[in-house]
Amino acid sequence: MFQDITIEELLVKRSNGEIAAIDVRSPSEYRSASIPGSLNIPLFDDVERAEVGTLYTQTGVEAAKERGLHIASAKLPEFVRQFKEIEGPKAVFCWRGGMRSRTTATVLDLMGIRVYRLNGGFRAYRKWVVAQLENFELNAQAYVLGGNTGSGKTAALQKLQAEGYPVVDLESMAGHRGSVFGGIGVEARNQKTFDALLLERLIEVADSPYILLEAESKRIGRIEVPAFLMNKKEEGVQIRVGLPMEERVRHILEDYRPEEHAEACMTSFLRIKAYIHQPIAAEIHRLMESGEYADAVRMMLESYYDPKYDYFADGLDQESVREIRAATVEEAVQQIKDILAAEGAAERS
């Protein structure tokens, strides 16, 4: 007989590489939000789930069970085969630890496949994440990367994280770059997914004496950053990254690929056009229509984004600011390492 497993037990086993978490909900449920790193082997597809759900609401539990059994029975050989391909113990979950995960666990157990069922399902996991974030104690010192738009802050953080530094990359977790253009070419995540990814990373870096993050606002695309992390950011050491204009323009063109996303870029520009001096705005509009994106980006930086950042930077406590002037992101990364070393942060990690 299969065993139930708690969220805490599952996460410990997963961190030790002892178990695979498998979401048996429908593909759309899985895409919406799941436990980070889990696999999706759905018992029902989206259409089948809707059919069973309608029967449950309109006819009753027994009718829904009978239809669900009929649908599942025809799919069992392929369903079981997918589980057999995954080595080692497995934990399955559905929305609330109900019919789908119970049916899956029972069938797999009968086939001799060792399996656990997550107690309470994804709903319990989501409640656990929310409770953990509401009571999270972050004792680490924050080093906050700021700087003008296009200064390679995200790229620098990603390089540092790849080298093992305790980076909390909020933009990657949100699936958004934070500005009015921030959703272009990326898939924005919802709050549930962001919260799960954030908590997972905070637990990973919990023992570090410092963390590195970007100077984000409270809202990034569709998500909201928890208050405790915003407070930590505002109290942190500010590292202001400065790159040459040409390098900034190059980074923006590489990140946003306006030739591939011309319509989305124009739509985003039109949202800020009224806030730019009109002769300049008209010229930017013309440049974008003619595909002269490098010049358009440069003018947007000089006339809109740089003045906005300068206004924000004037409000910072200058004693907490560390200035970086670099020719490339690689040089900026090395200077960030030097700052951490000089202040003793790296030695304490």
Side-chain angles (χ1 to χ4, degrees):
M1 183 64 183
F2 67 85
Q3 295 176 270
D4 278 356
I5 190 172
T6 67
I7 293 163
E8 292 82 359
E9 290 170 335
L10 172 62
L11 296 179
V12 168
K13 286 180 178 293
R14 283 191 61 215
S15 67
N16 294 333
E18 298 174 6
I19 200 168
I22 301 170
D23 189 338
V24 297
R25 296 177 303 157
S26 68
S28 64
E29 290 175 286
Y30 174 76
R31 287 192 300 270
S32 175
S34 190
I35 298 174
S38 63
L39 305 173
N40 184 216
I41 303 179
L43 183 62
F44 301 133
D45 63 27
D46 292 325
V47 173
E48 293 162 347
R49 171 180 170 255
E51 181 184 353
V52 173
T54 300
L55 279 173
Y56 181 90
T57 302
Q58 297 181 355
T59 306
V61 176
E62 290 305 316
K65 285 183 177 180
E66 288 181 11
R67 181 55 183 157
L69 179 62
H70 178 75
I71 293 171
S73 62
K75 303 164 66 173
L76 284 181
E78 173 61 18
F79 188 64
V80 172
R81 184 194 64 77
Q82 292 181 69
F83 278 91
K84 285 183 176 180
E85 290 182 349
I86 301 170
E87 296 183 1
K90 293 162 266 289
V92 298
F93 63 94
C94 58
W95 167 235
R96 57 185 178 186
M99 183 180 73
R100 286 178 289 180
S101 59
R102 186 185 306 116
T103 299
T104 299
T106 300
V107 169
L108 294 177
D109 183 69
L110 289 172
M111 297 300 296
I113 299 173
R114 185 179 180 186
V115 66
Y116 298 87
R117 182 183 66 163
L118 178 61
N119 190 20
F122 180 74
R123 182 172 65 172
Y125 171 77
R126 171 61 182 164
K127 289 180 178 179
W128 178 81
V129 168
V130 170
Q132 291 290 311
L133 288 176
E134 285 178 349
N135 298 286
F136 201 90
E137 293 187 12
L138 183 58
N139 299 315
Q141 168 73 60
Y143 284 82
V144 185
L145 263 63
N148 296 90
T149 301
S151 295
K153 301 179 291 293
T154 298
L157 286 175
Q158 290 173 347
K159 289 178 183 297
L160 288 163
Q161 183 166 341
E163 293 183 32
Y165 283 80
V167 169
V168 180
D169 187 351
L170 299 174
E171 287 190 2
S172 294
M173 295 173 191
H176 198 280
R177 302 184 189 91
S179 71
V180 68
F181 290 85
I184 294 173
V186 293
E187 184 176 350
R189 294 191 170 108
N190 59 24
Q191 191 72 46
K192 291 179 181 178
T193 299
F194 173 82
D195 288 347
L197 292 170
L198 174 61
L199 179 59
E200 182 178 62
R201 184 57 177 160
L202 288 175
I203 291 172
E204 288 174 352
V205 301
D207 294 333
S208 176
Y210 72 97
I211 59 170
L212 289 153
L213 66 161
E214 194 168 337
E216 303 288 353
S217 61
K218 187 172 182 60
R219 294 202 67 86
I220 308 174
R222 296 159 56 185
I223 67 89
E224 186 171 306
V225 180
F228 77 88
L229 195 55
M230 292 301 297
N231 292 337
K232 182 64 66 172
K233 177 184 75 70
E234 290 165 7
E235 296 166 358
V237 176
Q238 307 294 319
I239 301 177
R240 187 154 56 200
V241 180
L243 294 183
M245 177 61 76
E246 292 303 316
E247 189 72 1
R248 293 168 58 198
V249 171
R250 185 181 69 80
H251 276 299
I252 290 171
L253 294 177
E254 286 182 356
D255 285 347
Y256 291 88
R257 305 187 305 281
E259 296 86 357
E260 300 174 29
H261 306 286
E263 184 177 349
C265 286
M266 180 62 78
T267 299
S268 295
F269 166 68
L270 293 176
R271 291 171 60 187
I272 64 171
K273 184 178 179 180
Y275 302 99
I276 302 173
H277 185 51
Q278 286 313 296
I280 297 174
E283 177 62 8
I284 294 172
H285 198 152
R286 184 194 70 78
L287 290 167
M288 292 184 67
E289 285 185 326
S290 62
E292 298 173 75
Y293 293 113
D295 289 338
V297 167
R298 184 180 299 102
M299 290 186 71
M300 260 189 279
L301 292 176
E302 293 172 343
S303 62
Y304 181 73
Y305 283 104
D306 285 3
K308 279 188 67 176
Y309 179 76
D310 291 343
Y311 177 80
F312 161 78
D314 287 343
L316 295 174
D317 177 7
Q318 297 306 308
E319 291 186 3
S320 71
V321 176
R322 312 291 185 265
E323 293 282 355
I324 285 179
R325 291 290 178 267
T328 65
V329 169
E330 289 73 20
E331 286 186 15
V333 167
Q334 185 56 55
Q335 290 187 44
I336 293 167
K337 293 179 183 179
D338 292 343
I339 289 172
L340 295 173
E343 301 195 3
E347 286 79 357
R348 298 194 302 270
S349 63

